[in-house]
Amino acid sequence: MKGEIRKKGSCKFLDKEFYVWEREVIEKRSHCNSVNNNAGLKLDTTKEKRKLNMIIAKHFLSDKHRVLDAYGGYGITTYLWLKQGCKVDVCEEDEWNYSLLWDNLNEFHGKRKLRCFNYSNLIMFNKFKDVKRKYDLIDLDPYGSCFEQIGPALELIDNGILLVTCGEPTVLYRGFHKKNYTKRYGSDIEEFLSYRTFWKFPKDFFFEKYIKSKTSKKLKLLHYFESKVIGRLIIQVGDPDIPTELLDEFKGREKIFGDIKVFNGQKSLVDCWGVE
């Protein structure tokens, strides 16, 4: 990014300190400051995402399972899957992030539990498909959109769980690249190109229409949460053994973050970047 300097910092997750890049943006874009603090931004949604990952690891995963972390980042979530005893393949295309991921996961190198790939996940998906590799859980947690990865990822799961983070809502709300999104998803997306409906995109469009169109396999939405910025979907693929304890924990989780309110049984937006 133009005008950006990366400095090595750290953050703590579980029992471990992780190296991360602290970004000091010298040239800020004007729209960066236009989002209010109640939008359901990264702090709350990241905490919830990590809590859900921990619940899934506890109740669904064991040393008998294989996980594909398609957007490894700094290896924070990868570490969780490894601590559960899983065999993990992790992809991270960005060389800066990959260097920290490698360092953060150094205790697992050489133990035949971890394979790291500094390549595009789409390239690796094709290689995994060629060798008929299958996974019990695939995590798609991109910085933006993973629309290209959905189909290839579903081919690598017969019976398991697909985790998907959907970053489109904020883009749709602000009206960026509407023509590109219509070209990408088809004319059905047009009903979500409005501030009154865009936040429904992850569940009502991305799962119900787009993801389901990419496979003939049986899919079931086990849990999700949504905000004005992102959505997170937990999808059952095929017929894996889903413990009742996992489903019970999902029942008590918050599904709505930020300024999405419920009035008379209908969800609407309040104080959404100045929109009434």
Side-chain angles (χ1 to χ4, degrees), residues 38-42 44-45 166 168-170 198-202 224-232 255-260 269 272-273:
N38 298 318
L41 290 173
K42 193 171 181 61
D44 288 342
T45 54
C166 173
E168 275 94 342
T170 188
F198 75 93
W199 58 273
K200 295 182 178 181
F201 178 86
Y224 70 96
F225 69 77
E226 60 194 11
S227 75
K228 293 182 293 189
V229 179
I230 70 166
R232 179 71 164 171
K255 290 185 178 180
I256 300 173
F257 290 83
D259 285 335
I260 301 174
L269 295 178
C272 176
W273 297 305

Side-chain angles (χ1 to χ4, degrees), residues 23-122:
R23 300 179 180 183
E24 180 180 342
V25 180
I26 297 176
E27 295 183 11
K28 294 184 178 180
R29 298 174 182 173
S30 61
H31 67 259
C32 289
N33 296 321
S34 64
V35 182
N36 68 37
N37 293 328
N38 298 318
L41 290 173
K42 193 171 181 61
L43 180 62
D44 288 342
T45 54
T46 296
K47 285 182 178 179
E48 181 63 12
K49 178 180 64 179
R50 289 183 178 170
K51 179 61 178 178
L52 289 171
N53 289 343
M54 293 171 67
I55 291 171
I56 292 168
K58 175 182 177 182
H59 294 296
F60 181 71
L61 294 175
S62 70
D63 58 4
K64 298 179 180 179
H65 294 98
R66 187 181 297 275
V67 173
L68 172 56
D69 195 342
Y71 296 87
Y74 305 129
I76 296 174
T77 304
T78 313
Y79 178 78
L80 173 63
W81 310 137
L82 288 164
K83 289 291 284 185
Q84 201 62 23
C86 303
K87 293 182 179 179
V88 181
D89 291 340
V90 56
C91 304
E92 178 50 56
E93 187 174 8
D94 183 272
E95 292 185 5
W96 288 73
N97 290 346
Y98 184 82
S99 66
L100 294 192
L101 178 149
W102 183 266
D103 290 342
N104 286 333
L105 302 177
N106 58 17
E107 66 191 88
F108 297 99
H109 297 321
K111 295 184 179 181
R112 304 184 68 179
K113 284 284 188 180
L114 173 66
R115 301 195 306 171
C116 303
F117 302 95
N118 187 201
Y119 297 100
S120 159
N121 51 37
L122 287 173

Side-chain angles (χ1 to χ4, degrees), residues 1-2 74 93 130 188 204 207 225 255 259:
M1 180 185 291
K2 183 179 179 181
Y74 305 129
E93 187 174 8
D130 288 344
D188 285 350
D204 293 359
F207 175 68
F225 69 77
K255 290 185 178 180
D259 285 335

Side-chain angles (χ1 to χ4, degrees), residues 128-190:
F128 297 148
K129 180 182 177 182
D130 288 344
V131 298
K132 296 181 170 54
R133 185 176 296 274
K134 297 293 182 179
Y135 295 91
D136 301 289
L137 183 144
I138 296 179
D139 188 5
L140 300 179
D141 187 18
Y143 300 112
S145 174
C146 60
F147 80 102
E148 291 182 289
Q149 284 76 10
I150 294 296
L154 286 168
E155 292 186 43
L156 299 176
I157 305 176
D158 287 337
N159 297 289
I161 289 178
L162 176 66
L163 307 178
V164 181
T165 299
C166 173
E168 275 94 342
T170 188
V171 180
L172 298 179
Y173 166 74
R174 289 174 164 176
F176 298 155
H177 316 301
K178 285 188 176 181
K179 291 183 179 179
N180 291 342
Y181 273 75
T182 301
K183 184 177 179 180
R184 178 184 295 178
Y185 292 111
S187 59
D188 285 350
I189 197 179
E190 292 179 3

